[in-house]
Amino acid sequence: LRFDEQVRVVVFKSQVKGVFCAGADLKERAKMDDTEVGEFVRRLRNLMDEIAALPVPTIAAIDGYALGGGLELALACDLRVAASSAKMGLIETTRGLLPGAGGTQRLPRCVGIGLAKELIFTGRQVDGEQAASMGLVNHSVPQNSEGDAAYQRALTLAKEILPQAPFAVKMGKLAINKGIEVDIASGMAIEGMCYAQNIPTRDRQEGMAAFMEKRPPQFTGK
């Protein structure tokens, strides 16, 4: 996906009705020794980092439970859409653990430090509407009879992104992700570097031409 130039948006969904991702299999985990657990979590953390580093926008379609590592997967995505009936939580402390695949870092950046601490310390689960109210998800939608309301809303969101200039979207994502980690002056420099890479693109020229000619632009990602 990282190197496929035809890919413009990635949507993560589950094929299991009622469950987005329930997190680690604790029965399997219980059979591991301490070294194996550490290696397992390290690999899981690396996977989440790879997802977060995808150059194109990513959307998590949460149509059911997203618990522990399941919510960490959703947090590794750029955008999240949840059914109002979905249940989300970093529940690790209820099992004698702490989030180990990015949850302690991505949740505070998503909802703020105080609320993230409360959710992690208590292991509380929240539904889609609560998640939307705290900014954990971008949208909450009523569940449908097929059980895929969040996925359908995620597709609609993806279709809003698809017509836009692919390289400009990628540079926008990069500027946001890198800039949020530094002071504002450094962030402005990062934005400037991303903008400079976008200036010579054919898509920028196409966008200007389409505006002047009063027609929809036809972006190619070049």
Side-chain angles (χ1 to χ4, degrees), residues 155-191:
L155 287 181
T156 299
L157 186 55
K159 289 174 183 176
E160 287 186 67
I161 299 171
L162 284 177
Q164 316 316 326
F167 188 74
V169 171
K170 289 179 181 179
M171 287 297 99
K173 173 173 176 172
L174 182 63
I176 293 169
N177 285 352
K178 297 299 184 183
I180 199 68
E181 305 298 336
V182 299
D183 62 273
I184 188 70
S186 300
M188 291 296 186
I190 291 170
E191 181 184 273

Side-chain angles (χ1 to χ4, degrees), residues 25-221:
D25 182 342
L26 296 183
K27 292 181 180 179
E28 176 188 55
R29 184 78 64 83
K31 298 176 183 178
M32 299 179 184
D33 61 31
D34 290 355
T35 301
E36 289 172 327
V37 170
E39 175 62 15
F40 177 87
V41 174
R42 183 192 66 78
R43 291 175 60 196
L44 195 61
R45 188 182 302 117
N46 288 345
L47 172 62
M48 300 309 176
D49 287 345
E50 287 290 321
I51 292 169
L54 282 172
V56 298
T58 54
I59 307 173
I62 307 169
D63 272 306
Y65 285 97
L67 303 176
L71 182 53
E72 288 177 309
L73 169 59
L75 285 166
C77 295
D78 298 308
L79 308 174
R80 285 159 293 283
V81 179
S84 56
S85 58
K87 295 291 185 181
M88 288 155 273
L90 294 180
I91 61 171
E92 285 86 349
T93 57
T94 70
R95 299 294 184 266
L97 303 165
L98 72 153
T104 65
Q105 302 307 302
R106 293 193 175 99
L107 186 62
R109 286 166 168 78
C110 183
V111 302
I113 293 175
L115 187 51
K117 286 180 176 178
E118 181 176 338
L119 292 173
I120 291 173
F121 294 170
T122 62
R124 183 185 305 147
Q125 298 181 32
V126 298
D127 62 26
E129 292 184 4
Q130 292 170 312
S133 70
M134 63 180 63
L136 177 55
V137 302
N138 296 75
H139 303 280
S140 174
V141 292
Q143 188 56 280
N144 58 29
S145 58
E146 289 76 27
D148 69 347
Y151 175 58
Q152 295 302 325
R153 182 65 181 87
L155 287 181
T156 299
L157 186 55
K159 289 174 183 176
E160 287 186 67
I161 299 171
L162 284 177
Q164 316 316 326
F167 188 74
V169 171
K170 289 179 181 179
M171 287 297 99
K173 173 173 176 172
L174 182 63
I176 293 169
N177 285 352
K178 297 299 184 183
I180 199 68
E181 305 298 336
V182 299
D183 62 273
I184 188 70
S186 300
M188 291 296 186
I190 291 170
E191 181 184 273
M193 288 186 288
C194 291
Y195 199 94
Q197 292 182 63
N198 193 72
I199 289 174
T201 62
R202 295 176 192 169
D203 279 353
R204 187 185 73 86
Q205 297 169 351
E206 165 64 10
M208 296 299 101
F211 176 78
M212 297 298 292
E213 296 165 13
K214 294 182 172 57
R215 60 172 175 81
Q218 299 296 317
F219 296 124
T220 62

